[in-house]
Amino acid sequence: MELSAPMHRWDVTPTEAVALQRELRERVVLEPPPGLRVERVAGADVSTEKGRDTGFGGVVVLDAGTLVPVAQAGSAVTLGFPYVPGLLSFRELPVVAVAWERLSMRPDVLIFDGHGIAHPRRLGIASHGGLLFGIPSIGCAKSLLVGTHGKLADARGSTSPIIHKGEVVGMAVRTRKSVQPVYVSPGHLMDLPTAVELVLRASPKYREPETTRHAHRMVNALRRADGEAAELE
């Protein structure tokens, strides 16, 4: 599955990356495509290891009803951008993009282990990735990058808006009773209510959605297998 023409170069400086984020955020569409039907939902993740310059990426596609994996693809790519808070997409998306190209089946929605518009410049990895792949996307993160939210009730499904600079940029969502919430924000071709609904549907048992859990397991297995192979050389 090939990508459309690249939106920009990846070999940029952090200063250039910030400028690109400000430019690209104007292209983000915060509403789902008309008549969106979600039959397949995917998770994307990247695993790295301190002291190594390889990123291991994975995209796992699940049946949206059963949450059973139906397709997956992985990648191992040399990292070309440093770790800079707020610029994660420039480090990780080139890794995810290789896995995306290898997918045999395209999802209807892609959930990233990171943020969408709940980002200082409103272009987290989920928004950037949604633009890159031309797909409805959602950010579902384990920690806040920007903003604050009010107290949530203990019940599963409880929510509280994430406010940053007077703007609602996401939602704290309790996916499991009395467990820390996740932080959901629309990426691209997505609105907040739909993003929250889909994350809850993908999280029937655990704090993190099944999309993230499967993708996380996959990329960590790739990283470990590569490390074991290197030890045998």
Side-chain angles (χ1 to χ4, degrees), residues 144-206:
L144 278 175
L145 184 59
V146 297
T148 58
H149 64 85
K151 184 175 174 59
L152 282 79
D154 284 342
R156 181 183 186 276
S158 300
T159 62
S160 180
I162 301 167
I163 311 294
H164 182 240
K165 295 185 176 178
E167 181 182 359
V168 175
V169 295
M171 195 76 75
V173 180
R174 185 97 65 200
T175 51
R176 193 176 179 196
K177 182 181 177 181
S178 301
V179 169
Q180 282 286 98
V182 292
Y183 302 98
V184 177
S185 56
H188 175 54
L189 295 170
M190 183 58 55
D191 60 20
L192 185 53
T194 307
V196 170
E197 176 194 342
L198 289 172
V199 166
L200 282 168
R201 277 172 53 187
S203 312
K205 291 173 65 178
Y206 301 102

Short mmCIF file of all heavy atoms in Angstrom, two decimals, residues 144-206:
data_model
loop_
_atom_site.label_atom_id
_atom_site.label_comp_id
_atom_site.label_asym_id
_atom_site.label_seq_id
_atom_site.Cartn_x
_atom_site.Cartn_y
_atom_site.Cartn_z
N LEU A 144 -0.54 13.84 29.68
CA LEU A 144 -0.86 15.12 29.05
C LEU A 144 0.40 15.78 28.50
O LEU A 144 1.47 15.70 29.11
CB LEU A 144 -1.48 16.07 30.07
CG LEU A 144 -2.98 15.93 30.37
CD1 LEU A 144 -3.35 16.88 31.50
CD2 LEU A 144 -3.82 16.21 29.14
N LEU A 145 0.27 16.42 27.36
CA LEU A 145 1.34 17.24 26.81
C LEU A 145 1.05 18.71 27.06
O LEU A 145 1.95 19.48 27.42
CB LEU A 145 1.50 16.97 25.31
CG LEU A 145 2.64 17.68 24.58
CD1 LEU A 145 4.00 17.30 25.19
CD2 LEU A 145 2.62 17.34 23.10
N VAL A 146 -0.20 19.10 26.89
CA VAL A 146 -0.64 20.48 27.17
C VAL A 146 -2.01 20.43 27.83
O VAL A 146 -2.74 19.45 27.71
CB VAL A 146 -0.73 21.34 25.89
CG1 VAL A 146 0.62 21.50 25.22
CG2 VAL A 146 -1.76 20.76 24.91
N GLY A 147 -2.34 21.52 28.52
CA GLY A 147 -3.69 21.68 29.03
C GLY A 147 -3.93 21.06 30.39
O GLY A 147 -3.06 20.40 30.98
N THR A 148 -5.13 21.28 30.88
CA THR A 148 -5.57 20.74 32.17
C THR A 148 -7.01 20.25 32.01
O THR A 148 -7.72 20.62 31.06
CB THR A 148 -5.53 21.81 33.27
OG1 THR A 148 -6.37 22.91 32.88
CG2 THR A 148 -4.12 22.32 33.52
N HIS A 149 -7.43 19.42 32.96
CA HIS A 149 -8.82 18.95 32.94
C HIS A 149 -9.33 18.86 34.37
O HIS A 149 -8.56 18.80 35.33
CB HIS A 149 -8.94 17.60 32.23
CG HIS A 149 -8.21 16.47 32.92
ND1 HIS A 149 -8.78 15.75 33.95
CD2 HIS A 149 -6.98 15.96 32.74
CE1 HIS A 149 -7.92 14.84 34.36
NE2 HIS A 149 -6.81 14.94 33.65
N GLY A 150 -10.64 18.81 34.50
CA GLY A 150 -11.27 18.70 35.80
C GLY A 150 -11.30 17.27 36.29
O GLY A 150 -10.83 16.34 35.62
N LYS A 151 -11.87 17.10 37.47
CA LYS A 151 -11.96 15.77 38.09
C LYS A 151 -12.95 14.90 37.32
O LYS A 151 -14.01 15.36 36.90
CB LYS A 151 -12.41 15.93 39.54
CG LYS A 151 -12.45 14.63 40.34
CD LYS A 151 -12.78 14.92 41.79
CE LYS A 151 -12.99 13.64 42.58
NZ LYS A 151 -11.82 12.76 42.57
N LEU A 152 -12.58 13.63 37.16
CA LEU A 152 -13.47 12.67 36.52
C LEU A 152 -14.16 11.81 37.57
O LEU A 152 -13.58 11.54 38.62
CB LEU A 152 -12.69 11.73 35.60
CG LEU A 152 -12.24 12.23 34.23
CD1 LEU A 152 -11.00 13.10 34.37
CD2 LEU A 152 -11.94 11.05 33.30
N ALA A 153 -15.37 11.38 37.26
CA ALA A 153 -16.01 10.37 38.10
C ALA A 153 -15.24 9.06 37.96
O ALA A 153 -14.47 8.88 37.02
CB ALA A 153 -17.46 10.19 37.67
N ASP A 154 -15.44 8.14 38.90
CA ASP A 154 -14.70 6.87 38.90
C ASP A 154 -15.18 5.90 37.83
O ASP A 154 -14.46 4.97 37.47
CB ASP A 154 -14.81 6.19 40.27
CG ASP A 154 -13.91 6.86 41.30
OD1 ASP A 154 -12.98 7.58 40.90
OD2 ASP A 154 -14.15 6.64 42.51
N ALA A 155 -16.39 6.08 37.34
CA ALA A 155 -16.99 5.09 36.43
C ALA A 155 -16.31 5.07 35.07
O ALA A 155 -15.84 6.11 34.57
CB ALA A 155 -18.48 5.40 36.25
N ARG A 156 -16.29 3.89 34.46
CA ARG A 156 -15.81 3.77 33.10
C ARG A 156 -16.67 4.64 32.18
O ARG A 156 -17.90 4.69 32.32
CB ARG A 156 -15.88 2.32 32.63
CG ARG A 156 -15.38 2.10 31.21
CD ARG A 156 -15.54 0.65 30.75
NE ARG A 156 -14.92 0.46 29.45
CZ ARG A 156 -15.50 0.74 28.28
NH1 ARG A 156 -16.74 1.21 28.26
NH2 ARG A 156 -14.86 0.54 27.15
N GLY A 157 -16.03 5.34 31.26
CA GLY A 157 -16.75 6.22 30.35
C GLY A 157 -16.85 7.65 30.83
O GLY A 157 -17.32 8.52 30.09
N SER A 158 -16.39 7.93 32.06
CA SER A 158 -16.38 9.31 32.56
C SER A 158 -15.38 10.14 31.77
O SER A 158 -14.32 9.63 31.38
CB SER A 158 -16.02 9.33 34.04
OG SER A 158 -16.95 8.60 34.80
N THR A 159 -15.71 11.40 31.54
CA THR A 159 -14.84 12.27 30.75
C THR A 159 -14.73 13.66 31.36
O THR A 159 -15.57 14.06 32.16
CB THR A 159 -15.38 12.43 29.31
OG1 THR A 159 -16.68 13.04 29.36
CG2 THR A 159 -15.48 11.10 28.58
N SER A 160 -13.69 14.36 30.97
CA SER A 160 -13.52 15.76 31.34
C SER A 160 -12.71 16.44 30.25
O SER A 160 -11.66 15.92 29.84
CB SER A 160 -12.79 15.89 32.69
OG SER A 160 -12.63 17.25 33.04
N PRO A 161 -13.18 17.60 29.74
CA PRO A 161 -12.48 18.25 28.64
C PRO A 161 -11.07 18.70 29.03
O PRO A 161 -10.83 19.15 30.15
CB PRO A 161 -13.36 19.45 28.32
CG PRO A 161 -14.69 19.13 28.89
CD PRO A 161 -14.43 18.29 30.10
N ILE A 162 -10.14 18.57 28.09
CA ILE A 162 -8.78 19.10 28.24
C ILE A 162 -8.78 20.50 27.64
O ILE A 162 -9.08 20.68 26.46
CB ILE A 162 -7.75 18.21 27.52
CG1 ILE A 162 -7.79 16.78 28.08
CG2 ILE A 162 -6.35 18.80 27.65
CD1 ILE A 162 -7.03 15.77 27.23
N ILE A 163 -8.45 21.48 28.47
CA ILE A 163 -8.48 22.88 28.04
C ILE A 163 -7.06 23.40 27.95
O ILE A 163 -6.26 23.26 28.89
CB ILE A 163 -9.27 23.76 29.04
CG1 ILE A 163 -10.63 23.14 29.37
CG2 ILE A 163 -9.42 25.18 28.49
CD1 ILE A 163 -11.59 23.08 28.22
N HIS A 164 -6.72 24.03 26.82
CA HIS A 164 -5.41 24.65 26.65
C HIS A 164 -5.61 26.01 25.99
O HIS A 164 -6.18 26.11 24.90
CB HIS A 164 -4.50 23.78 25.78
CG HIS A 164 -3.13 24.34 25.60
ND1 HIS A 164 -2.62 24.65 24.35
CD2 HIS A 164 -2.17 24.66 26.50
CE1 HIS A 164 -1.39 25.12 24.50
NE2 HIS A 164 -1.09 25.14 25.78
N LYS A 165 -5.16 27.04 26.67
CA LYS A 165 -5.28 28.42 26.17
C LYS A 165 -6.73 28.74 25.79
O LYS A 165 -7.00 29.35 24.76
CB LYS A 165 -4.35 28.65 24.98
CG LYS A 165 -2.87 28.54 25.36
CD LYS A 165 -1.97 28.88 24.19
CE LYS A 165 -0.51 28.87 24.62
NZ LYS A 165 0.42 29.16 23.50
N GLY A 166 -7.65 28.29 26.65
CA GLY A 166 -9.07 28.60 26.45
C GLY A 166 -9.77 27.77 25.41
O GLY A 166 -10.95 28.01 25.11
N GLU A 167 -9.10 26.77 24.88
CA GLU A 167 -9.67 25.95 23.80
C GLU A 167 -9.76 24.50 24.25
O GLU A 167 -8.85 23.97 24.89
CB GLU A 167 -8.75 26.06 22.57
CG GLU A 167 -9.20 25.28 21.37
CD GLU A 167 -8.22 25.38 20.21
OE1 GLU A 167 -7.19 26.08 20.33
OE2 GLU A 167 -8.48 24.75 19.17
N VAL A 168 -10.86 23.84 23.92
CA VAL A 168 -10.98 22.41 24.18
C VAL A 168 -10.18 21.67 23.11
O VAL A 168 -10.50 21.73 21.92
CB VAL A 168 -12.45 21.94 24.16
CG1 VAL A 168 -12.52 20.42 24.33
CG2 VAL A 168 -13.24 22.62 25.26
N VAL A 169 -9.13 20.96 23.53
CA VAL A 169 -8.25 20.28 22.57
C VAL A 169 -8.33 18.77 22.69
O VAL A 169 -7.72 18.05 21.89
CB VAL A 169 -6.78 20.74 22.73
CG1 VAL A 169 -6.63 22.21 22.38
CG2 VAL A 169 -6.26 20.45 24.15
N GLY A 170 -9.06 18.27 23.68
CA GLY A 170 -9.15 16.83 23.86
C GLY A 170 -10.02 16.49 25.04
O GLY A 170 -10.73 17.35 25.59
N MET A 171 -9.97 15.23 25.43
CA MET A 171 -10.81 14.75 26.52
C MET A 171 -10.03 13.74 27.35
O MET A 171 -9.39 12.83 26.80
CB MET A 171 -12.07 14.08 25.95
CG MET A 171 -13.16 13.86 26.96
SD MET A 171 -14.06 15.40 27.36
CE MET A 171 -15.07 15.58 25.89
N ALA A 172 -10.06 13.93 28.66
CA ALA A 172 -9.58 12.88 29.56
C ALA A 172 -10.71 11.85 29.66
O ALA A 172 -11.86 12.20 29.91
CB ALA A 172 -9.27 13.45 30.94
N VAL A 173 -10.37 10.59 29.41
CA VAL A 173 -11.40 9.54 29.31
C VAL A 173 -11.03 8.38 30.23
O VAL A 173 -9.94 7.82 30.14
CB VAL A 173 -11.50 9.02 27.85
CG1 VAL A 173 -12.57 7.94 27.75
CG2 VAL A 173 -11.81 10.17 26.89
N ARG A 174 -11.97 8.03 31.09
CA ARG A 174 -11.78 6.89 31.98
C ARG A 174 -12.21 5.62 31.23
O ARG A 174 -13.40 5.41 31.00
CB ARG A 174 -12.60 7.06 33.25
CG ARG A 174 -12.37 5.98 34.28
CD ARG A 174 -11.40 6.38 35.35
NE ARG A 174 -11.86 7.48 36.17
CZ ARG A 174 -11.06 8.25 36.91
NH1 ARG A 174 -9.76 8.01 36.92
NH2 ARG A 174 -11.54 9.24 37.64
N THR A 175 -11.25 4.81 30.84
CA THR A 175 -11.57 3.60 30.08
C THR A 175 -11.77 2.39 30.99
O THR A 175 -12.25 1.35 30.53
CB THR A 175 -10.44 3.28 29.07
OG1 THR A 175 -9.19 3.30 29.77
CG2 THR A 175 -10.41 4.31 27.95
N ARG A 176 -11.41 2.55 32.25
CA ARG A 176 -11.58 1.46 33.22
C ARG A 176 -11.89 2.08 34.58
O ARG A 176 -11.26 3.06 34.97
CB ARG A 176 -10.30 0.62 33.27
CG ARG A 176 -10.47 -0.70 33.99
CD ARG A 176 -9.21 -1.53 33.92
NE ARG A 176 -9.36 -2.79 34.63
CZ ARG A 176 -8.37 -3.57 35.00
NH1 ARG A 176 -7.13 -3.23 34.72
NH2 ARG A 176 -8.61 -4.69 35.65
N LYS A 177 -12.82 1.51 35.30
CA LYS A 177 -13.25 2.07 36.57
C LYS A 177 -12.07 2.26 37.53
O LYS A 177 -11.25 1.36 37.73
CB LYS A 177 -14.28 1.14 37.22
CG LYS A 177 -14.83 1.67 38.54
CD LYS A 177 -15.84 0.70 39.16
CE LYS A 177 -16.31 1.22 40.51
NZ LYS A 177 -17.27 0.29 41.15
N SER A 178 -11.99 3.47 38.10
CA SER A 178 -11.01 3.83 39.13
C SER A 178 -9.56 3.72 38.66
O SER A 178 -8.65 3.66 39.50
CB SER A 178 -11.22 2.97 40.39
OG SER A 178 -12.53 3.15 40.90
N VAL A 179 -9.34 3.70 37.36
CA VAL A 179 -7.99 3.65 36.80
C VAL A 179 -7.70 4.99 36.12
O VAL A 179 -8.62 5.66 35.63
CB VAL A 179 -7.85 2.48 35.80
CG1 VAL A 179 -6.55 2.56 35.01
CG2 VAL A 179 -7.94 1.15 36.55
N GLN A 180 -6.43 5.41 36.11
CA GLN A 180 -6.06 6.67 35.48
C GLN A 180 -6.64 6.79 34.08
O GLN A 180 -6.68 5.81 33.33
CB GLN A 180 -4.53 6.76 35.39
CG GLN A 180 -3.85 7.13 36.70
CD GLN A 180 -4.04 8.60 37.02
OE1 GLN A 180 -4.91 8.98 37.79
NE2 GLN A 180 -3.22 9.44 36.41
N PRO A 181 -7.08 7.99 33.68
CA PRO A 181 -7.66 8.14 32.34
C PRO A 181 -6.59 8.11 31.26
O PRO A 181 -5.39 8.20 31.53
CB PRO A 181 -8.31 9.53 32.41
CG PRO A 181 -7.49 10.28 33.41
CD PRO A 181 -7.09 9.26 34.44
N VAL A 182 -7.05 7.99 30.02
CA VAL A 182 -6.20 8.26 28.86
C VAL A 182 -6.61 9.62 28.32
O VAL A 182 -7.66 10.16 28.68
CB VAL A 182 -6.34 7.17 27.78
CG1 VAL A 182 -5.76 5.86 28.27
CG2 VAL A 182 -7.78 6.99 27.33
N TYR A 183 -5.78 10.16 27.43
CA TYR A 183 -5.99 11.53 26.95
C TYR A 183 -6.21 11.48 25.44
O TYR A 183 -5.29 11.19 24.67
CB TYR A 183 -4.81 12.40 27.35
CG TYR A 183 -4.62 12.38 28.86
CD1 TYR A 183 -3.69 11.54 29.46
CD2 TYR A 183 -5.46 13.14 29.68
CE1 TYR A 183 -3.57 11.48 30.84
CE2 TYR A 183 -5.35 13.08 31.06
CZ TYR A 183 -4.41 12.25 31.63
OH TYR A 183 -4.30 12.17 33.01
N VAL A 184 -7.46 11.71 25.06
CA VAL A 184 -7.90 11.51 23.68
C VAL A 184 -8.05 12.85 22.98
O VAL A 184 -8.61 13.80 23.55
CB VAL A 184 -9.26 10.75 23.67
CG1 VAL A 184 -9.78 10.59 22.25
CG2 VAL A 184 -9.12 9.40 24.36
N SER A 185 -7.55 12.92 21.75
CA SER A 185 -7.78 14.12 20.94
C SER A 185 -7.91 13.72 19.48
O SER A 185 -7.33 12.73 19.04
CB SER A 185 -6.65 15.14 21.12
OG SER A 185 -5.38 14.59 20.81
N PRO A 186 -8.70 14.48 18.71
CA PRO A 186 -8.80 14.19 17.29
C PRO A 186 -7.47 14.44 16.59
O PRO A 186 -6.72 15.36 16.97
CB PRO A 186 -9.87 15.17 16.80
CG PRO A 186 -10.00 16.21 17.84
CD PRO A 186 -9.52 15.63 19.13
N GLY A 187 -7.18 13.60 15.61
CA GLY A 187 -5.96 13.78 14.83
C GLY A 187 -6.27 14.56 13.55
O GLY A 187 -6.04 15.76 13.44
N HIS A 188 -6.85 13.86 12.57
CA HIS A 188 -7.24 14.45 11.29
C HIS A 188 -8.48 13.70 10.82
O HIS A 188 -8.66 12.52 11.13
CB HIS A 188 -6.08 14.29 10.29
CG HIS A 188 -6.39 14.75 8.90
ND1 HIS A 188 -6.86 16.02 8.62
CD2 HIS A 188 -6.26 14.12 7.68
CE1 HIS A 188 -7.01 16.15 7.31
NE2 HIS A 188 -6.66 15.01 6.73
N LEU A 189 -9.35 14.40 10.10
CA LEU A 189 -10.61 13.81 9.62
C LEU A 189 -11.37 13.16 10.77
O LEU A 189 -11.92 12.06 10.66
CB LEU A 189 -10.33 12.79 8.51
CG LEU A 189 -9.73 13.37 7.23
CD1 LEU A 189 -9.27 12.25 6.30
CD2 LEU A 189 -10.72 14.28 6.51
N MET A 190 -11.42 13.87 11.90
CA MET A 190 -11.99 13.32 13.12
C MET A 190 -12.47 14.46 14.01
O MET A 190 -11.89 15.54 14.01
CB MET A 190 -10.90 12.52 13.86
CG MET A 190 -11.34 11.80 15.12
SD MET A 190 -12.69 10.63 14.92
CE MET A 190 -12.04 9.54 13.63
N ASP A 191 -13.57 14.20 14.76
CA ASP A 191 -13.99 15.16 15.78
C ASP A 191 -13.84 14.51 17.16
O ASP A 191 -13.61 13.31 17.27
CB ASP A 191 -15.41 15.67 15.53
CG ASP A 191 -16.48 14.57 15.52
OD1 ASP A 191 -16.21 13.47 16.06
OD2 ASP A 191 -17.57 14.80 14.98
N LEU A 192 -13.97 15.31 18.20
CA LEU A 192 -13.71 14.82 19.54
C LEU A 192 -14.75 13.78 20.00
O LEU A 192 -14.37 12.74 20.55
CB LEU A 192 -13.61 15.99 20.52
CG LEU A 192 -13.22 15.65 21.96
CD1 LEU A 192 -11.94 14.81 22.03
CD2 LEU A 192 -13.06 16.93 22.79
N PRO A 193 -16.06 14.01 19.81
CA PRO A 193 -17.02 13.00 20.27
C PRO A 193 -16.79 11.63 19.61
O PRO A 193 -16.88 10.60 20.27
CB PRO A 193 -18.38 13.59 19.89
CG PRO A 193 -18.16 15.06 19.83
CD PRO A 193 -16.76 15.23 19.32
N THR A 194 -16.51 11.63 18.31
CA THR A 194 -16.27 10.36 17.61
C THR A 194 -14.99 9.71 18.11
O THR A 194 -14.93 8.48 18.29
CB THR A 194 -16.21 10.58 16.09
OG1 THR A 194 -17.38 11.28 15.66
CG2 THR A 194 -16.10 9.26 15.35
N ALA A 195 -13.97 10.52 18.35
CA ALA A 195 -12.70 9.98 18.86
C ALA A 195 -12.90 9.30 20.21
O ALA A 195 -12.41 8.18 20.44
CB ALA A 195 -11.67 11.10 18.97
N VAL A 196 -13.63 9.94 21.10
CA VAL A 196 -13.89 9.37 22.44
C VAL A 196 -14.69 8.08 22.31
O VAL A 196 -14.37 7.06 22.93
CB VAL A 196 -14.62 10.38 23.33
CG1 VAL A 196 -15.12 9.72 24.62
CG2 VAL A 196 -13.71 11.57 23.65
N GLU A 197 -15.72 8.09 21.46
CA GLU A 197 -16.55 6.90 21.27
C GLU A 197 -15.71 5.72 20.76
O GLU A 197 -15.83 4.59 21.25
CB GLU A 197 -17.66 7.21 20.27
CG GLU A 197 -18.53 6.01 19.92
CD GLU A 197 -19.40 6.25 18.69
OE1 GLU A 197 -19.59 7.41 18.31
OE2 GLU A 197 -19.85 5.24 18.10
N LEU A 198 -14.84 5.98 19.79
CA LEU A 198 -14.05 4.90 19.20
C LEU A 198 -13.00 4.37 20.17
O LEU A 198 -12.74 3.16 20.21
CB LEU A 198 -13.40 5.38 17.90
CG LEU A 198 -14.37 5.60 16.73
CD1 LEU A 198 -13.65 6.25 15.55
CD2 LEU A 198 -15.00 4.28 16.30
N VAL A 199 -12.40 5.26 20.96
CA VAL A 199 -11.43 4.79 21.96
C VAL A 199 -12.11 3.93 23.00
O VAL A 199 -11.59 2.87 23.40
CB VAL A 199 -10.69 5.98 22.60
CG1 VAL A 199 -9.94 5.54 23.86
CG2 VAL A 199 -9.72 6.61 21.61
N LEU A 200 -13.29 4.32 23.46
CA LEU A 200 -14.02 3.50 24.44
C LEU A 200 -14.41 2.14 23.85
O LEU A 200 -14.30 1.11 24.51
CB LEU A 200 -15.26 4.24 24.94
CG LEU A 200 -14.99 5.32 25.99
CD1 LEU A 200 -16.22 6.18 26.20
CD2 LEU A 200 -14.54 4.70 27.31
N ARG A 201 -14.82 2.14 22.59
CA ARG A 201 -15.17 0.88 21.93
C ARG A 201 -13.95 -0.04 21.82
O ARG A 201 -14.08 -1.26 21.90
CB ARG A 201 -15.74 1.15 20.54
CG ARG A 201 -17.21 1.50 20.54
CD ARG A 201 -17.69 1.95 19.18
NE ARG A 201 -17.38 1.02 18.10
CZ ARG A 201 -17.59 1.29 16.81
NH1 ARG A 201 -18.09 2.47 16.46
NH2 ARG A 201 -17.29 0.40 15.88
N ALA A 202 -12.78 0.55 21.65
CA ALA A 202 -11.55 -0.23 21.49
C ALA A 202 -10.90 -0.59 22.82
O ALA A 202 -9.86 -1.24 22.84
CB ALA A 202 -10.56 0.54 20.62
N SER A 203 -11.52 -0.17 23.93
CA SER A 203 -10.94 -0.39 25.26
C SER A 203 -11.93 -1.10 26.19
O SER A 203 -12.33 -0.54 27.22
CB SER A 203 -10.53 0.95 25.88
OG SER A 203 -9.78 1.74 24.99
N PRO A 204 -12.36 -2.32 25.86
CA PRO A 204 -13.39 -2.96 26.68
C PRO A 204 -12.91 -3.47 28.03
O PRO A 204 -13.73 -3.63 28.94
CB PRO A 204 -13.85 -4.13 25.80
CG PRO A 204 -12.65 -4.46 24.97
CD PRO A 204 -11.97 -3.13 24.70
N LYS A 205 -11.60 -3.70 28.19
CA LYS A 205 -11.11 -4.34 29.41
C LYS A 205 -9.99 -3.58 30.11
O LYS A 205 -9.90 -3.61 31.34
CB LYS A 205 -10.59 -5.75 29.08
CG LYS A 205 -11.66 -6.73 28.69
CD LYS A 205 -11.06 -8.05 28.22
CE LYS A 205 -10.33 -8.76 29.34
NZ LYS A 205 -9.79 -10.08 28.90
N TYR A 206 -9.14 -2.93 29.34
CA TYR A 206 -7.93 -2.35 29.91
C TYR A 206 -7.90 -0.83 29.73
O TYR A 206 -8.73 -0.26 29.03
CB TYR A 206 -6.69 -2.98 29.27
CG TYR A 206 -6.62 -4.47 29.44
CD1 TYR A 206 -6.97 -5.33 28.40
CD2 TYR A 206 -6.23 -5.03 30.66
CE1 TYR A 206 -6.92 -6.71 28.57
CE2 TYR A 206 -6.19 -6.41 30.84
CZ TYR A 206 -6.53 -7.24 29.78
OH TYR A 206 -6.49 -8.59 29.95
#
